Amino acid sequence: MEHKNELTIPAILAKSAELYENRNALGFYDSPALSYRQLKDKTDQIAAFLADRGIVHGDRVAILSENSPHWGVAYLAVTSMGAVAVPILTDFSPTEIHHVLRHSEAKAVFVSEKLYGKIDEASFDQLKTRILIDDFSVIKPDTSKDKLRRLIAEGSHELRKIKAMALKWLGRIPSQVQSEDLASIIYTSGTTGHSKGVMLTHGNLVSDVLATTRLVDVNCEDRLLSLLPLAHVYECTLGLITSLMKGASVSYVHKPPTAAVLLPALRAVQPTFVLSVPLIIEKMVRAKVFPALRGKALIRMACAVPALRKMVIRKAGAKIRAAFGGKLNMFCIGGAALAPDVEDFLIEAGFPYCIGYGLTETAPLVTGTKPFETRPRSAGRPLEGVEIRIADPDPKTGEGEIQLRGPMIMKGYYKDPEKTAEAFSDGWLKTGDLGCLDADGFLYIKGRSKNVIIGPSGENIYPKVIESVINRTDSVQESLVFEEQGRLVARIHLNYEALDAFFSEKKWSASQIREHIRRLLEDIKAKVNEGVASFSRLSRVIEQTEPFEKTPTQKIKRYLYVERTIDGEGAISV
């Protein structure tokens, strides 16, 4: 076991700067990257500046920015000096952001120009320092969004760069950081509508990184293209800190990762591993692969012959790997359940995917597998140091609440001892997730305990299971199942891109289109009800005309729709 003083973020940075001094650390995919030595030097500069501004051990410093190399620099500077980083999700509303800044009592904030408008007009008594993360310059108090944009455009000296201001403080030694010190407070968006500040120590985060690197091989030859928000612990721990510990290079894109943005980045970086949520690979497989396999008679005939099918499916898998740059060794999936039909394809195609499970409260990873060691529908086995128990298991199925112990478990919820106490039982973290373990220790997630629906004869009905059946239909993009007055109801967001192309070809009127959608929904309901148990049959299907609102890990915010009493403008219900 490592000495506790080595279980800190500054210890990782110092060691990596020595071992991988001239290797690329962080950068935009189309620009020169910071080397590990440059990253360490820049981090020291920013930490020295924060010390000059009165930031001391334990003070909270917020980061409100899109992904960039400077996000990592800011995070490392804050945590290396013993202060506490407060990453804020960029899709939080101004009201939510203001709550986080006030609740955390942040004394400084790193903010991008693009997001500055979410805080420029608000007043925060304790927030004394605002830093433009784009170039590490200081924003004077009472600077409006428009004025900031003008100062940037003019290259005004009013925006003083930190580098020059911090030089005289570089000799100042930051306070010694211990593994039990708080490193970060992460305010979750969650799917319940209530944001809580999860307190993670240096020991929590580094323990998770160490356990992860003992499971999968990451080394200084690896390249990661970052797709997920750094403000989420998944990308921050497994993408940023893990890469830095092992000397890997991390590349970022300038805009949200749409296909048009990603394609040139994937060609340039040729990543060896990627962190993803299921939706990314599901969209690709359902949009490109499944229609091709089902569309041409010759391919359908080939797939009916086992030897030819293997060849066809493997070729399709190779094309997906090529789309990710051609060098991919590990495609990591987490944050939500992977659709069964997509997982079956990935297995058959020999695609190097692996699945893990965890929570913000667990820093995050607690189970996982290596590529090609996955089991269908499983979230893998416990990482080293993780204990799992199934509380109050059902005698027939073995399913119960998943509870966890291990060095990566959070310290608690910030300023909320009551919710912290509620989250634990005899020292075990109560996840709120339902699951079971097989004889080999593989964990199977069955759903959220609060989402389980009790059937008419006491049966456990898992919405995720029914949703997976609905989502197998080519015309469905995604769905959500819930209970309404004792009946099962599904909201279905259709594949409108494909439907629009179909309607354009047909040149149908609006009434003809609506009738087609009505029949389509009726067919979906009938086919689903044929394929599920009688107590899991749908009574009603509602067209979800707009995409579902989601969390950063692409989970649908169920509470927004389960409690809704209207179907939505123009929606069809059958």
Side-chain angles (χ1 to χ4, degrees):
M1 180 66 182
E2 290 76 4
H3 189 275
K4 69 175 186 176
N5 287 346
E6 295 177 356
L7 297 178
T8 67
I9 292 169
I12 288 177
L13 182 59
K15 187 175 181 179
S16 292
E18 180 182 337
L19 291 175
Y20 315 112
E21 184 174 9
N22 296 316
R23 300 192 72 91
N24 287 344
L26 308 178
F28 283 113
Y29 81 93
D30 55 356
S31 305
L34 289 170
S35 70
Y36 274 84
R37 173 48 55 192
Q38 290 171 328
L39 176 63
K40 177 69 165 63
D41 291 345
K42 201 165 190 70
T43 295
D44 288 345
Q45 290 174 359
I46 305 302
F49 169 78
L50 291 172
D52 177 43
R53 301 293 282 211
I55 303 298
V56 298
H57 191 287
D59 282 345
R60 275 74 63 203
V61 178
I63 306 173
L64 176 60
S65 170
E66 307 80 12
N67 284 14
S68 76
H70 280 185
W71 196 105
V73 171
Y75 182 88
L76 293 168
V78 173
T79 54
S80 291
M81 66 178 299
V84 181
V86 183
I88 303 178
L89 291 162
T90 58
D91 59 355
F92 271 11
S93 68
T95 300
E96 290 171 313
I97 292 169
H98 299 170
H99 165 72
V100 169
L101 291 172
R102 291 193 176 101
H103 188 264
S104 67
E105 298 177 283
K107 289 189 176 180
V109 60
F110 292 88
V111 60
S112 66
E113 177 195 355
K114 183 178 178 181
L115 296 172
Y116 184 68
K118 291 191 174 186
I119 67 169
D120 66 331
E121 295 180 357
S123 175
F124 309 95
D125 293 338
Q126 80 290 345
L127 189 66
K128 304 299 182 186
T129 302
R130 302 183 186 197
I131 302 161
L132 184 66
I133 201 170
D134 306 68
D135 64 357
F136 290 123
S137 55
V138 180
I139 304 170
K140 288 186 176 181
D142 302 323
T143 300
S144 67
K145 176 180 68 175
D146 293 337
K147 182 180 179 181
L148 177 64
R149 187 175 293 121
R150 178 173 55 78
L151 292 174
I152 293 171
E154 294 172 353
S156 173
H157 292 296
E158 189 173 329
L159 292 170
R160 296 180 298 160
K161 299 290 193 298
I162 283 178
K163 182 177 180 180
M165 299 170 68
L167 286 176
K168 64 179 179 177
W169 297 96
L170 284 178
R172 177 178 293 189
I173 301 173
S175 57
Q176 184 67 40
V177 178
Q178 305 290 327
S179 65
E180 61 268 21
D181 289 341
L182 203 56
S184 184
I185 301 173
I186 300 177
Y187 286 80
T188 63
S189 62
T191 56
T192 62
H194 179 68
S195 184
K196 295 173 286 192
V198 176
M199 297 188 290
L200 296 173
T201 67
H202 285 261
N204 292 152
L205 294 165
V206 179
S207 294
D208 203 66
V209 169
L210 288 170
T212 299
T213 55
R214 288 167 185 149
L215 173 69
V216 294
D217 178 37
V218 179
N219 59 61
C220 62
E221 299 296 329
D222 278 311
R223 301 176 300 278
L224 170 72
L225 182 64
S226 178
L227 308 181
L228 304 175
L230 275 165
H232 196 280
V233 70
Y234 179 17
E235 184 70 25
C236 185
T237 301
L238 304 183
L240 177 65
I241 305 175
T242 299
S243 296
L244 293 179
M245 174 180 275
K246 290 297 183 176
S249 64
V250 184
S251 297
Y252 300 99
V253 293
H254 297 277
K255 297 178 181 178
T258 60
V261 171
L262 283 181
L263 286 175
L266 289 166
R267 285 194 295 265
V269 176
Q270 295 185 308
T272 57
F273 75 108
V274 165
L275 302 178
S276 176
V277 290
L279 192 62
I280 292 175
I281 193 71
E282 288 170 358
K283 278 186 174 181
M284 180 175 287
V285 171
R286 288 199 170 116
K288 303 295 183 184
V289 178
F290 286 170
L293 294 178
R294 297 164 182 163
K296 295 181 180 178
L298 189 61
I299 293 178
R300 290 201 308 272
M301 289 168 58
C303 286
V305 181
L308 293 177
R309 176 180 175 84
K310 183 176 182 180
M311 188 185 305
V312 169
I313 299 298
R314 289 278 170 156
K315 189 174 181 179
K319 285 184 177 180
I320 292 182
R321 189 168 178 264
F324 280 98
K327 303 294 184 181
L328 197 65
N329 297 323
M330 186 167 57
F331 190 89
C332 308
I333 302 173
L338 178 63
D341 57 336
V342 174
E343 182 173 19
D344 290 341
F345 165 77
L346 296 179
I347 293 171
E348 200 173 358
F351 188 76
Y353 84 103
C354 50
I355 289 183
Y357 164 73
L359 309 165
T360 303
E361 288 86 343
T362 60
L365 199 63
V366 289
T367 70
T369 59
K370 297 179 181 180
F372 308 114
E373 294 184 8
T374 57
R375 288 191 180 179
R377 320 300 177 252
S378 169
R381 289 194 285 195
L383 270 61
E384 184 177 315
V386 174
E387 296 178 79
I388 298 179
R389 75 177 184 185
I390 305 299
D392 300 319
D394 184 286
K396 294 181 181 178
T397 64
E399 297 166 5
E401 184 185 38
I402 301 165
Q403 297 187 354
L404 304 166
R405 281 201 310 204
M408 61 284 295
I409 305 297
M410 69 167 181
K411 192 173 183 178
Y413 296 116
Y414 187 57
K415 293 182 179 177
D416 204 335
E418 289 184 4
K419 280 194 171 54
T420 299
E422 290 172 5
F424 290 90
S425 174
D426 302 323
W428 292 79
L429 177 70
K430 300 187 292 184
T431 66
D433 290 322
L434 294 173
C436 59
L437 293 164
D438 70 11
D440 296 320
F442 279 80
L443 179 67
Y444 294 80
I445 312 295
K446 298 300 182 179
R448 293 288 293 173
S449 58
K450 62 191 167 191
N451 293 337
V452 172
I453 299 167
I454 306 302
S457 300
E459 308 93 343
N460 283 348
I461 301 171
Y462 298 106
K464 284 288 182 187
V465 174
I466 306 172
E467 288 159 11
S468 70
V469 176
I470 297 171
N471 295 346
R472 290 175 195 162
T473 307
D474 289 342
S475 54
V476 174
Q477 192 75 33
E478 52 191 344
S479 62
L480 184 148
V481 173
F482 58 98
E483 184 182 25
E484 182 182 76
Q485 297 178 347
R487 303 179 303 161
L488 290 180
V489 179
R491 289 186 176 275
I492 297 178
H493 184 62
L494 297 168
N495 185 343
Y496 290 105
E497 185 176 347
L499 286 173
D500 287 344
F502 175 75
F503 295 148
S504 296
E505 185 179 323
K506 292 288 186 180
K507 297 181 180 179
W508 280 350
S509 66
S511 61
Q512 287 174 309
I513 289 172
R514 286 183 62 80
E515 181 56 29
H516 178 84
I517 291 176
R518 185 183 302 280
R519 289 200 306 269
L520 180 61
L521 293 174
E522 287 175 345
D523 287 344
I524 291 170
K525 183 170 77 170
K527 287 177 182 177
V528 169
N529 287 345
E530 287 175 4
V532 298
S534 59
F535 56 78
S536 293
R537 288 175 183 162
L538 299 171
S539 295
R540 184 177 175 223
V541 167
I542 303 168
E543 180 191 12
Q544 177 65 32
T545 54
E546 297 295 325
F548 291 106
E549 288 192 38
K550 300 184 185 71
T551 70
T553 51
Q554 300 302 300
K555 296 189 189 81
I556 295 172
K557 294 183 177 180
R558 304 182 74 91
Y559 68 94
L560 294 177
Y561 303 96
V562 172
E563 297 170 2
R564 186 176 291 179
T565 56
I566 58 172
D567 294 348
E569 185 177 353
I572 296 171
S573 174
V574 297

PDB file of all heavy atoms in Angstrom, residues 73-95:
ATOM      1  N   VAL A  73      -5.198  22.622 -15.671  1.00  0.00           N
ATOM      2  CA  VAL A  73      -4.214  23.443 -14.947  1.00  0.00           C
ATOM      3  C   VAL A  73      -4.852  24.056 -13.709  1.00  0.00           C
ATOM      4  O   VAL A  73      -4.280  24.027 -12.610  1.00  0.00           O
ATOM      5  CB  VAL A  73      -3.643  24.543 -15.858  1.00  0.00           C
ATOM      6  CG1 VAL A  73      -2.789  25.524 -15.049  1.00  0.00           C
ATOM      7  CG2 VAL A  73      -2.811  23.939 -16.986  1.00  0.00           C
ATOM      8  N   ALA A  74      -6.048  24.618 -13.869  1.00  0.00           N
ATOM      9  CA  ALA A  74      -6.741  25.248 -12.745  1.00  0.00           C
ATOM     10  C   ALA A  74      -7.030  24.227 -11.647  1.00  0.00           C
ATOM     11  O   ALA A  74      -6.786  24.483 -10.458  1.00  0.00           O
ATOM     12  CB  ALA A  74      -8.038  25.901 -13.227  1.00  0.00           C
ATOM     13  N   TYR A  75      -7.538  23.074 -12.035  1.00  0.00           N
ATOM     14  CA  TYR A  75      -7.865  22.012 -11.065  1.00  0.00           C
ATOM     15  C   TYR A  75      -6.615  21.566 -10.311  1.00  0.00           C
ATOM     16  O   TYR A  75      -6.628  21.419  -9.078  1.00  0.00           O
ATOM     17  CB  TYR A  75      -8.498  20.837 -11.815  1.00  0.00           C
ATOM     18  CG  TYR A  75      -8.920  19.683 -10.933  1.00  0.00           C
ATOM     19  CD1 TYR A  75     -10.184  19.653 -10.350  1.00  0.00           C
ATOM     20  CD2 TYR A  75      -8.058  18.612 -10.703  1.00  0.00           C
ATOM     21  CE1 TYR A  75     -10.576  18.584  -9.549  1.00  0.00           C
ATOM     22  CE2 TYR A  75      -8.441  17.540  -9.902  1.00  0.00           C
ATOM     23  CZ  TYR A  75      -9.701  17.536  -9.335  1.00  0.00           C
ATOM     24  OH  TYR A  75     -10.079  16.482  -8.534  1.00  0.00           O
ATOM     25  N   LEU A  76      -5.530  21.363 -11.019  1.00  0.00           N
ATOM     26  CA  LEU A  76      -4.288  20.914 -10.399  1.00  0.00           C
ATOM     27  C   LEU A  76      -3.706  21.976  -9.480  1.00  0.00           C
ATOM     28  O   LEU A  76      -3.171  21.679  -8.406  1.00  0.00           O
ATOM     29  CB  LEU A  76      -3.275  20.530 -11.477  1.00  0.00           C
ATOM     30  CG  LEU A  76      -3.636  19.300 -12.312  1.00  0.00           C
ATOM     31  CD1 LEU A  76      -2.707  19.193 -13.519  1.00  0.00           C
ATOM     32  CD2 LEU A  76      -3.554  18.030 -11.472  1.00  0.00           C
ATOM     33  N   ALA A  77      -3.807  23.240  -9.894  1.00  0.00           N
ATOM     34  CA  ALA A  77      -3.288  24.327  -9.063  1.00  0.00           C
ATOM     35  C   ALA A  77      -4.041  24.416  -7.741  1.00  0.00           C
ATOM     36  O   ALA A  77      -3.448  24.551  -6.667  1.00  0.00           O
ATOM     37  CB  ALA A  77      -3.376  25.646  -9.820  1.00  0.00           C
ATOM     38  N   VAL A  78      -5.347  24.352  -7.819  1.00  0.00           N
ATOM     39  CA  VAL A  78      -6.181  24.452  -6.614  1.00  0.00           C
ATOM     40  C   VAL A  78      -5.893  23.299  -5.661  1.00  0.00           C
ATOM     41  O   VAL A  78      -5.646  23.492  -4.463  1.00  0.00           O
ATOM     42  CB  VAL A  78      -7.678  24.475  -7.002  1.00  0.00           C
ATOM     43  CG1 VAL A  78      -8.556  24.397  -5.745  1.00  0.00           C
ATOM     44  CG2 VAL A  78      -8.013  25.736  -7.795  1.00  0.00           C
ATOM     45  N   THR A  79      -5.917  22.080  -6.185  1.00  0.00           N
ATOM     46  CA  THR A  79      -5.748  20.916  -5.317  1.00  0.00           C
ATOM     47  C   THR A  79      -4.309  20.758  -4.832  1.00  0.00           C
ATOM     48  O   THR A  79      -4.079  20.226  -3.741  1.00  0.00           O
ATOM     49  CB  THR A  79      -6.196  19.632  -6.046  1.00  0.00           C
ATOM     50  OG1 THR A  79      -5.500  19.532  -7.298  1.00  0.00           O
ATOM     51  CG2 THR A  79      -7.692  19.661  -6.314  1.00  0.00           C
ATOM     52  N   SER A  80      -3.338  21.229  -5.607  1.00  0.00           N
ATOM     53  CA  SER A  80      -1.938  21.076  -5.206  1.00  0.00           C
ATOM     54  C   SER A  80      -1.556  21.987  -4.051  1.00  0.00           C
ATOM     55  O   SER A  80      -0.613  21.693  -3.318  1.00  0.00           O
ATOM     56  CB  SER A  80      -1.013  21.345  -6.402  1.00  0.00           C
ATOM     57  OG  SER A  80      -1.131  20.324  -7.368  1.00  0.00           O
ATOM     58  N   MET A  81      -2.285  23.071  -3.896  1.00  0.00           N
ATOM     59  CA  MET A  81      -1.960  23.985  -2.801  1.00  0.00           C
ATOM     60  C   MET A  81      -2.806  23.704  -1.556  1.00  0.00           C
ATOM     61  O   MET A  81      -2.717  24.429  -0.565  1.00  0.00           O
ATOM     62  CB  MET A  81      -2.148  25.433  -3.240  1.00  0.00           C
ATOM     63  CG  MET A  81      -3.580  25.820  -3.550  1.00  0.00           C
ATOM     64  SD  MET A  81      -3.765  27.562  -4.003  1.00  0.00           S
ATOM     65  CE  MET A  81      -3.196  28.391  -2.530  1.00  0.00           C
ATOM     66  N   GLY A  82      -3.618  22.666  -1.614  1.00  0.00           N
ATOM     67  CA  GLY A  82      -4.417  22.300  -0.454  1.00  0.00           C
ATOM     68  C   GLY A  82      -5.779  22.953  -0.400  1.00  0.00           C
ATOM     69  O   GLY A  82      -6.536  22.748   0.559  1.00  0.00           O
ATOM     70  N   ALA A  83      -6.109  23.734  -1.427  1.00  0.00           N
ATOM     71  CA  ALA A  83      -7.457  24.289  -1.517  1.00  0.00           C
ATOM     72  C   ALA A  83      -8.390  23.220  -2.112  1.00  0.00           C
ATOM     73  O   ALA A  83      -7.943  22.127  -2.469  1.00  0.00           O
ATOM     74  CB  ALA A  83      -7.461  25.554  -2.357  1.00  0.00           C
ATOM     75  N   VAL A  84      -9.662  23.548  -2.207  1.00  0.00           N
ATOM     76  CA  VAL A  84     -10.671  22.572  -2.638  1.00  0.00           C
ATOM     77  C   VAL A  84     -11.286  23.024  -3.951  1.00  0.00           C
ATOM     78  O   VAL A  84     -11.849  24.120  -4.037  1.00  0.00           O
ATOM     79  CB  VAL A  84     -11.771  22.415  -1.570  1.00  0.00           C
ATOM     80  CG1 VAL A  84     -12.798  21.373  -2.006  1.00  0.00           C
ATOM     81  CG2 VAL A  84     -11.166  22.045  -0.223  1.00  0.00           C
ATOM     82  N   ALA A  85     -11.186  22.184  -4.989  1.00  0.00           N
ATOM     83  CA  ALA A  85     -11.769  22.506  -6.289  1.00  0.00           C
ATOM     84  C   ALA A  85     -13.272  22.237  -6.274  1.00  0.00           C
ATOM     85  O   ALA A  85     -13.718  21.212  -5.751  1.00  0.00           O
ATOM     86  CB  ALA A  85     -11.107  21.678  -7.382  1.00  0.00           C
ATOM     87  N   VAL A  86     -14.030  23.171  -6.849  1.00  0.00           N
ATOM     88  CA  VAL A  86     -15.479  23.015  -6.968  1.00  0.00           C
ATOM     89  C   VAL A  86     -15.842  23.100  -8.455  1.00  0.00           C
ATOM     90  O   VAL A  86     -16.155  24.166  -8.973  1.00  0.00           O
ATOM     91  CB  VAL A  86     -16.239  24.095  -6.171  1.00  0.00           C
ATOM     92  CG1 VAL A  86     -17.748  23.858  -6.253  1.00  0.00           C
ATOM     93  CG2 VAL A  86     -15.781  24.129  -4.722  1.00  0.00           C
ATOM     94  N   PRO A  87     -15.750  21.978  -9.177  1.00  0.00           N
ATOM     95  CA  PRO A  87     -16.128  21.999 -10.598  1.00  0.00           C
ATOM     96  C   PRO A  87     -17.630  22.207 -10.735  1.00  0.00           C
ATOM     97  O   PRO A  87     -18.411  21.617  -9.988  1.00  0.00           O
ATOM     98  CB  PRO A  87     -15.724  20.605 -11.087  1.00  0.00           C
ATOM     99  CG  PRO A  87     -14.846  20.029 -10.014  1.00  0.00           C
ATOM    100  CD  PRO A  87     -15.300  20.656  -8.737  1.00  0.00           C
ATOM    101  N   ILE A  88     -18.021  23.033 -11.699  1.00  0.00           N
ATOM    102  CA  ILE A  88     -19.440  23.303 -11.916  1.00  0.00           C
ATOM    103  C   ILE A  88     -19.803  22.878 -13.333  1.00  0.00           C
ATOM    104  O   ILE A  88     -19.145  23.265 -14.301  1.00  0.00           O
ATOM    105  CB  ILE A  88     -19.768  24.799 -11.720  1.00  0.00           C
ATOM    106  CG1 ILE A  88     -19.349  25.261 -10.323  1.00  0.00           C
ATOM    107  CG2 ILE A  88     -21.260  25.053 -11.934  1.00  0.00           C
ATOM    108  CD1 ILE A  88     -19.586  26.742 -10.064  1.00  0.00           C
ATOM    109  N   LEU A  89     -20.857  22.090 -13.458  1.00  0.00           N
ATOM    110  CA  LEU A  89     -21.296  21.617 -14.763  1.00  0.00           C
ATOM    111  C   LEU A  89     -21.764  22.793 -15.620  1.00  0.00           C
ATOM    112  O   LEU A  89     -22.531  23.648 -15.157  1.00  0.00           O
ATOM    113  CB  LEU A  89     -22.417  20.601 -14.601  1.00  0.00           C
ATOM    114  CG  LEU A  89     -21.966  19.268 -13.994  1.00  0.00           C
ATOM    115  CD1 LEU A  89     -23.166  18.501 -13.463  1.00  0.00           C
ATOM    116  CD2 LEU A  89     -21.193  18.441 -15.008  1.00  0.00           C
ATOM    117  N   THR A  90     -21.320  22.821 -16.858  1.00  0.00           N
ATOM    118  CA  THR A  90     -21.593  23.972 -17.719  1.00  0.00           C
ATOM    119  C   THR A  90     -23.064  24.115 -18.078  1.00  0.00           C
ATOM    120  O   THR A  90     -23.503  25.206 -18.439  1.00  0.00           O
ATOM    121  CB  THR A  90     -20.772  23.875 -19.011  1.00  0.00           C
ATOM    122  OG1 THR A  90     -21.092  22.653 -19.682  1.00  0.00           O
ATOM    123  CG2 THR A  90     -19.282  23.897 -18.706  1.00  0.00           C
ATOM    124  N   ASP A  91     -23.814  23.015 -18.010  1.00  0.00           N
ATOM    125  CA  ASP A  91     -25.227  23.119 -18.362  1.00  0.00           C
ATOM    126  C   ASP A  91     -26.115  23.474 -17.175  1.00  0.00           C
ATOM    127  O   ASP A  91     -27.334  23.528 -17.304  1.00  0.00           O
ATOM    128  CB  ASP A  91     -25.727  21.837 -19.034  1.00  0.00           C
ATOM    129  CG  ASP A  91     -25.571  20.606 -18.162  1.00  0.00           C
ATOM    130  OD1 ASP A  91     -24.993  20.738 -17.068  1.00  0.00           O
ATOM    131  OD2 ASP A  91     -26.023  19.527 -18.578  1.00  0.00           O
ATOM    132  N   PHE A  92     -25.511  23.728 -16.014  1.00  0.00           N
ATOM    133  CA  PHE A  92     -26.285  24.261 -14.891  1.00  0.00           C
ATOM    134  C   PHE A  92     -26.847  25.631 -15.277  1.00  0.00           C
ATOM    135  O   PHE A  92     -26.207  26.406 -15.977  1.00  0.00           O
ATOM    136  CB  PHE A  92     -25.397  24.423 -13.657  1.00  0.00           C
ATOM    137  CG  PHE A  92     -25.325  23.201 -12.771  1.00  0.00           C
ATOM    138  CD1 PHE A  92     -25.827  21.979 -13.166  1.00  0.00           C
ATOM    139  CD2 PHE A  92     -24.735  23.288 -11.520  1.00  0.00           C
ATOM    140  CE1 PHE A  92     -25.754  20.856 -12.347  1.00  0.00           C
ATOM    141  CE2 PHE A  92     -24.650  22.180 -10.685  1.00  0.00           C
ATOM    142  CZ  PHE A  92     -25.165  20.965 -11.101  1.00  0.00           C
ATOM    143  N   SER A  93     -28.044  25.917 -14.789  1.00  0.00           N
ATOM    144  CA  SER A  93     -28.639  27.234 -15.016  1.00  0.00           C
ATOM    145  C   SER A  93     -27.925  28.272 -14.150  1.00  0.00           C
ATOM    146  O   SER A  93     -27.238  27.910 -13.177  1.00  0.00           O
ATOM    147  CB  SER A  93     -30.120  27.204 -14.636  1.00  0.00           C
ATOM    148  OG  SER A  93     -30.254  27.037 -13.222  1.00  0.00           O
ATOM    149  N   PRO A  94     -28.047  29.568 -14.469  1.00  0.00           N
ATOM    150  CA  PRO A  94     -27.451  30.593 -13.609  1.00  0.00           C
ATOM    151  C   PRO A  94     -27.871  30.460 -12.151  1.00  0.00           C
ATOM    152  O   PRO A  94     -27.052  30.625 -11.243  1.00  0.00           O
ATOM    153  CB  PRO A  94     -27.948  31.900 -14.222  1.00  0.00           C
ATOM    154  CG  PRO A  94     -28.114  31.585 -15.670  1.00  0.00           C
ATOM    155  CD  PRO A  94     -28.625  30.162 -15.693  1.00  0.00           C
ATOM    156  N   THR A  95     -29.136  30.134 -11.914  1.00  0.00           N
ATOM    157  CA  THR A  95     -29.611  29.982 -10.533  1.00  0.00           C
ATOM    158  C   THR A  95     -28.871  28.858  -9.819  1.00  0.00           C
ATOM    159  O   THR A  95     -28.455  28.999  -8.667  1.00  0.00           O
ATOM    160  CB  THR A  95     -31.129  29.703 -10.520  1.00  0.00           C
ATOM    161  OG1 THR A  95     -31.817  30.797 -11.128  1.00  0.00           O
ATOM    162  CG2 THR A  95     -31.630  29.528  -9.092  1.00  0.00           C
TER     163      THR A  95
END
